[in-house]
Amino acid sequence: MGKTKHTGPMKLKKNPDPSLWVSKVPFGLGKIKPHHIRDTVKVAWENKDNLPYATRILTQGVCDGCALGVAGLQDQTLQGPHLCTTRLNVLRLNTMPEMKHEVIHADIDELRKKSSTELRKLGRIPYPLIRKPGEKKFSRLSWDNALDLIAEKMKKIDPKQYGFYLTSRGITNESYYTAAKVARFLGTNNIDNASRICHSPSKTALTRSLGIGASSCNYKDWIGTDVLVFWGSVAANNQPVSTKYMYAAKRKGTKIIIINPYYEPSMEKYWIPSIAESALFGTKIADDVYQVNIGGDIAFMHGIMKHWFEMEEKAPGSAINHDFIREHVNGLAELKEKVQSYDWETLEKSAGLSKERIEELAIVLAKSNSAVFVWSMGLTQHRFGTDNVSQVANLALLQGFLGREHCGVMPIRGHSGVQGSGEMGADPFVLPGGGFTDQNVDRVEKVWGFDIPRWQGDIVGVSLENALLPEEHERKLKLYYMSGGNFLETMPNPDFVKQCLESVDIRVHQDIIFNTSTFVDAKEAVVVLPAMTRYEQPGGGTSTSTERMVYFSPEIKGPRIEEARSEWEIYVDLAKRVNPEQAHLIDFKDAQEIREEIAEAAPNYDGIQHLKEKGDVFQWGGAWLCEDGVCPTPDGKGNLITMDLPELRKAEGHFYVTTRRGKQFNSMIYSDQDPFNQAERYDVLMNKKDGKKYGIEQGDAIVVYNKHGLFHGKARFVDVKPGNIQVHWPEGNVLIPKGVYEQYAGIPEYNTAVIVEKSETFHAQKDTKYLEKRIEELEMEVG
């Protein structure tokens, strides 16, 4: 690991720079933009019944929103206060009172009529609940009865027939670690977490390319790097505080490049509320935008490298860092051969960009002394997501943009809890401190004092599908224990997911609120357990940010849901009931004892045991992983990975669709309208040229369909790459294929080919087989 330590927050220039202004009209009046002041007032009003507690959460706790790592109102990147609407929107989940009795025990059909947004406003779950087949209401249950019911079921079935899932909803490292340990204590490796459907390809790709599983650099490295590239990431929307870092980078002369099919308005210009100059006049963010085809990123990067090798033939040393490659990189000859095997016509068609545009970025990067590559789900949520990310690592290795200041690769996390989930072992492929190798299993067994099952656990998608296996199958999912999460809104093909959830004998929802999946039937029982938030956890808790900062968030004084329990405590109590003879091997007396064991089980986290007070933080791995180019691989070198162009499977005349986020946090929607483009939830974002080609006007009712599903929406013309459309997530998940997973990391595919038609054309067809015929044509053309 690196020897250089993070130097803490830096000062932000205060003198204005009019060259970055969006408009001289104060506060962007008349512009399409978020209204931060109005939103803040709205949040204050929502929390008026608990305002002192809400204030303490904001000023003392570590943000349970995105993974930028804001502790109180401060972070480790820039001096000064930081507060964003994402954090404010989540705030009410922590301060609202318990649900009323008549709501909790309402008729299940009435509850099913409510959206997740409406359910979120009903209040906290106050005590354990149960509903059996045929029952129209939830019944109250004692904690003892609830956990005994679950424990007795676990005793009767094979450990391969139950599994655990943890969302990223404010869950602490202590809870992730305890769940990982409890699962193995109970004999199952079927445990997974929310990063499976977000960044699992990032960890897999970085491990094989660089030997690391996290960001190699810091947010501070954005500020002053020559080039900052956002690849398939809308950080301004998903991690709003990051706009402050972008502003600071622009003030230092950094060139910001956006690569995305849609020219996202929030990445073009932004009014940053915590910077007076930007709040008044806005800030221009993007210096250039490359609108690549959905799925065309690998071809784009092949094109960049192809031009580098052409530059090298004319002037050796003009395009790649030979000294760095010679000392620190494997596989140059193989990569060069693969890149040069593709002609420009093929690369242009796949990428959706001309040779000249690709060469522009290639030259910019070749002439730069430093660069940071940032990406998100625009790269990962493909059936070739791991290759996408390894291709980014290829660019960094060829230029030596690694292991030093203002350089690095960064999978930017969307939630404060998710980076630590895999590092704590809540993943079927890993244990604390490393992968599921014999050596690491042996090491962790010595720490835990019991045998760990050696069979391969299932990823979340496969676990769900296993609910449909024959009754006698050894992996038939019969009990699923979920800490948060709503698969009806996060997984592809919600109708299929509902069928899977209904096929489980006992389904456990450990959560703070109801969501739509809570009301899906189960064959024997649905059990609901009330959990504490991170701010209620006795002894405090920790979370890990994108840049590997481990923050301590203290327990915060305030009102409590009387029967809610800390998540880690519930896991331990359950495990002791299933296997009371070995209860001493799984018992923890408090959160501090868990941190002590984490430091031993996960060596990178040695230091977490010292985090005890507000403001305590440390960064594992130092400022830069792979410092000075030395990677934690067997030979200390990074590996250039060769890969073929993916088959995009989009026929001429049809579209490729991907999902996007609006004003929401994960699947929690806070407005039916996107403040950056005024798109509504069922708007289909498409290019005006495509609309003209198919006789579609702005606002027309249209139908988007394929063999997986059918989506009714309205056409909204935006600056998106022709031949590509975008629908909101999760509404558009009906179009996404079920059971399609990335081969290396197991992330579901969230992109597919579709047909787009005007509704009047679609519904005017008298032939009842019309839909089947069009889908058959689509499959034949792309198959």
Side-chain angles (χ1 to χ4, degrees):
M1 293 298 171
K3 57 183 180 293
T4 303
K5 301 300 180 184
H6 195 282
T7 53
M10 60 191 294
K11 289 184 178 180
L12 183 64
K13 288 185 177 181
K14 292 186 177 180
N15 57 306
D17 182 356
S19 69
L20 298 179
W21 293 359
V22 174
S23 169
K24 293 183 180 179
V25 179
F27 300 107
L29 295 176
K31 301 285 186 180
I32 299 174
K33 59 181 287 292
H35 300 282
H36 295 111
I37 296 175
R38 184 184 68 186
D39 289 347
T40 301
V41 172
K42 180 182 176 182
V43 168
W45 180 256
E46 288 176 344
N47 289 276
K48 63 183 182 298
D49 59 341
N50 240 331
L51 207 52
Y53 183 44
T55 302
R56 288 194 294 274
I57 288 174
L58 293 177
T59 57
Q60 300 176 24
V62 173
C63 175
D64 56 342
C66 71
L68 297 190
V70 178
L73 299 177
Q74 312 293 324
D75 67 14
Q76 298 297 308
T77 303
L78 290 172
Q79 294 179 6
H82 306 297
L83 188 62
C84 73
T85 52
T86 293
R87 187 179 184 189
L88 290 173
N89 284 332
V90 177
L91 181 61
R92 188 55 178 164
L93 295 178
N94 300 292
T95 66
M96 61 186 176
E98 65 183 44
M99 278 186 278
K100 295 179 180 179
H101 180 87
E102 60 268 25
V103 173
I104 302 167
H105 302 287
D107 186 282
I108 197 70
D109 290 330
E110 290 302 312
L111 290 172
R112 284 171 176 161
K113 294 177 183 178
K114 297 183 181 295
S115 67
S116 284
T117 300
E118 293 170 324
L119 292 170
R120 206 165 54 239
K121 297 176 181 179
L122 297 180
R124 293 275 298 277
I125 300 168
Y127 42 72
L129 300 165
I130 187 171
R131 189 173 67 84
K132 296 181 179 180
E135 295 180 345
K136 300 295 290 182
K137 299 178 181 180
F138 279 109
S139 300
R140 185 169 184 169
L141 201 62
S142 70
W143 270 105
D144 283 338
N145 288 342
L147 293 179
D148 282 344
L149 174 70
I150 301 166
E152 288 305 312
K153 182 66 174 180
M154 286 183 163
K155 291 177 183 179
K156 293 176 183 177
I157 60 178
D158 190 296
K160 292 180 181 178
Q161 295 178 321
Y162 53 79
F164 293 85
Y165 171 83
L166 293 86
T167 188
S168 48
R169 176 217 5 100
I171 292 181
T172 61
N173 287 326
E174 290 81 357
S175 293
Y176 282 126
Y177 178 83
T178 304
K181 183 178 181 181
V182 163
R184 277 55 182 239
F185 175 79
L186 296 177
T188 188
N189 284 318
N190 293 332
I191 180 169
D192 211 348
N193 65 82
S195 70
R196 176 69 50 211
I197 55 176
C198 298
H199 268 297
S200 52
S202 297
K203 183 174 182 178
T204 305
L206 293 179
T207 299
R208 74 178 186 180
S209 294
L210 305 174
I212 62 177
S215 172
S216 73
C217 58
N218 309 286
Y219 297 117
K220 282 185 69 174
D221 291 309
W222 293 14
I223 304 168
T225 186
D226 289 346
V227 184
L228 176 58
V229 181
F230 288 93
W231 216 304
S233 169
V234 190
N237 189 25
N238 299 320
Q239 297 93 1
V241 171
S242 69
T243 56
K244 196 167 185 177
Y245 311 155
M246 296 180 211
Y247 171 88
K250 298 285 289 188
R251 296 299 305 269
K252 284 278 190 177
T254 295
K255 187 180 183 71
I256 296 181
I257 304 293
I258 313 298
I259 301 168
N260 205 51
Y262 176 34
Y263 196 139
E264 289 280 356
S266 65
M267 296 298 283
E268 178 188 14
K269 52 184 181 258
Y270 200 93
W271 282 257
I272 305 166
S274 56
I275 299 175
E277 176 190 20
S278 183
L280 281 170
F281 306 115
T283 300
K284 298 174 186 176
I285 295 176
D287 289 286
D288 205 349
V289 178
Y290 291 83
Q291 292 181 266
V292 67
N293 276 331
I294 296 169
D297 305 281
I298 288 176
F300 185 19
M301 288 183 266
H302 268 313
I304 291 172
M305 292 184 286
K306 184 176 179 70
H307 188 63
W308 285 348
F309 291 129
E310 290 173 353
M311 292 172 65
E312 284 292 316
E313 290 177 1
K314 296 177 182 177
S318 63
I320 61 176
N321 189 332
H322 289 284
D323 290 340
F324 184 89
I325 293 169
R326 184 170 48 254
E327 294 292 326
H328 304 295
V329 180
N330 298 316
L332 177 61
E334 294 84 352
L335 180 65
K336 182 177 180 180
E337 181 180 3
K338 172 60 70 176
V339 167
Q340 292 181 328
S341 70
Y342 289 106
D343 59 68
W344 276 110
E345 182 180 0
T346 300
L347 296 177
E348 287 176 309
K349 182 178 180 181
S350 181
L353 293 163
S354 68
K355 175 184 177 183
E356 291 71 27
R357 280 290 280 159
I358 296 172
E359 289 177 347
E360 283 178 19
L361 184 55
I363 292 170
V364 167
L365 293 173
K367 290 184 176 181
S368 298
N369 292 317
S370 59
V372 176
F373 297 107
V374 181
W375 68 89
S376 192
M377 288 172 282
L379 281 190
T380 60
Q381 287 187 330
H382 293 267
R383 64 184 183 278
F384 40 85
T386 296
D387 282 349
N388 274 343
V389 176
S390 277
Q391 191 80 314
V392 175
N394 286 344
L395 299 182
L397 287 169
L398 289 174
Q399 294 296 333
F401 294 151
L402 192 69
R404 56 189 174 91
E405 188 178 21
H406 297 146
C407 292
V409 290
M410 177 180 285
I412 191 168
R413 295 290 191 168
H415 202 295
S416 67
V418 76
Q419 179 65 42
S421 58
E423 293 168 349
M424 296 296 99
D427 184 305
F429 301 118
V430 300
L431 288 170
F436 210 83
T437 62
D438 289 340
Q439 182 180 8
N440 198 42
V441 171
D442 291 342
R443 183 187 63 81
V444 177
E445 283 181 339
K446 292 178 181 177
V447 177
W448 286 351
F450 57 80
D451 292 338
I452 295 172
R454 301 288 174 131
W455 49 272
Q456 176 58 57
D458 291 321
I459 60 175
V460 55
V462 173
S463 286
L464 285 169
E465 292 171 15
N466 285 351
L468 301 179
L469 289 172
E471 191 67 27
E472 65 278 4
H473 197 286
E474 68 168 1
R475 285 193 183 242
K476 163 78 171 177
L477 184 69
K478 296 185 177 181
L479 185 149
Y480 208 23
Y481 195 116
M482 295 167 286
S483 293
N486 183 357
F487 297 132
L488 290 181
E489 297 183 2
T490 57
M491 294 294 286
N493 201 316
D495 288 342
F496 175 74
V497 171
K498 181 173 181 288
Q499 181 185 359
C500 295
L501 292 175
E502 289 174 334
S503 300
V504 178
D505 290 353
I506 294 179
R507 212 175 58 248
V508 183
H509 294 263
Q510 180 171 300
D511 215 329
I512 60 174
I513 56 173
F514 283 161
N515 64 56
T516 54
S517 70
T518 318
F519 310 131
V520 175
D521 290 333
K523 292 170 71 175
E524 294 180 10
V526 175
V527 179
V528 181
L529 303 177
M532 287 181 169
T533 70
R534 69 165 52 172
Y535 308 117
E536 297 166 345
Q537 181 172 297
T542 61
S543 64
T544 308
S545 74
T546 292
E547 56 183 349
R548 297 171 281 106
M549 294 280 185
V550 185
Y551 291 87
F552 180 78
S553 187
E555 179 184 0
I556 296 174
K557 182 182 178 181
R560 293 291 184 264
I561 305 299
E562 186 174 354
E563 291 195 42
R565 301 175 67 183
S566 58
E567 309 234 21
W568 67 262
E569 182 186 4
I570 303 172
Y571 298 133
V572 170
D573 195 346
L574 174 64
K576 290 160 69 173
R577 292 168 191 258
V578 177
N579 188 0
E581 294 80 13
Q582 294 186 300
H584 63 286
L585 296 176
I586 199 66
D587 203 11
F588 290 114
K589 69 175 184 291
D590 55 32
Q592 178 59 34
E593 189 173 17
I594 301 174
R595 291 190 283 274
E596 297 281 349
E597 188 172 295
I598 291 173
E600 182 181 3
N604 285 347
Y605 275 73
D606 187 8
I608 193 173
Q609 69 273 32
H610 305 307
L611 307 183
K612 300 178 181 179
E613 304 292 336
K614 171 190 169 185
D616 285 354
V617 59
F618 83 99
Q619 183 182 39
W620 71 258
W624 307 300
L625 301 184
C626 306
E627 187 166 358
D628 298 327
V630 180
C631 296
T633 55
D635 63 358
K637 294 186 175 184
N639 299 302
L640 295 168
I641 306 294
T642 62
M643 63 201 69
D644 295 316
L645 295 187
E647 182 186 5
L648 295 185
R649 299 174 62 81
K650 181 178 80 69
E652 185 65 33
H654 296 116
F655 292 84
Y656 214 56
V657 64
T658 193
T659 57
R660 71 182 300 276
R661 277 53 167 172
K663 187 174 177 61
Q664 62 192 98
F665 180 61
N666 294 336
S667 63
M668 294 185 289
I669 298 164
Y670 289 99
S671 174
D672 289 333
Q673 189 176 78
D674 187 328
F676 294 106
N677 62 9
Q678 295 188 327
E680 297 180 350
R681 299 299 302 183
Y682 283 87
D683 281 350
V684 178
L685 306 188
M686 64 187 304
N687 192 285
K688 188 175 182 178
K689 293 179 181 178
D690 288 327
K692 184 177 181 180
K693 183 176 180 180
Y694 294 101
I696 297 171
E697 298 289 340
Q698 172 98 331
D700 277 355
I702 58 176
V703 178
V704 183
Y705 63 97
N706 55 22
K707 71 176 182 179
H708 311 296
L710 185 147
F711 180 88
H712 289 274
K714 291 190 302 180
R716 185 170 191 87
F717 296 150
V718 299
D719 190 1
V720 67
K721 187 74 177 177
N724 300 264
I725 63 171
Q726 296 199 353
V727 293
H728 284 95
W729 179 91
E731 290 87 348
N733 283 354
V734 294
L735 299 167
I736 305 302
K738 69 177 189 297
V740 179
Y741 305 108
E742 201 269 352
Q743 63 173 321
Y744 302 109
I747 196 169
E749 165 78 282
Y750 280 90
N751 309 273
T752 191
V754 294
I755 301 168
V756 177
E757 288 187 15
K758 292 180 69 171
S759 289
E760 61 187 59
T761 303
F762 178 83
H763 292 293
Q765 300 300 321
K766 304 301 182 185
D767 183 356
T768 57
K769 297 293 184 181
Y770 175 73
L771 176 64
E772 290 83 353
K773 286 181 179 179
R774 290 304 313 274
I775 291 174
E776 184 179 355
E777 291 170 7
L778 175 67
E779 293 304 306
M780 288 177 63
E781 290 174 352
V782 302

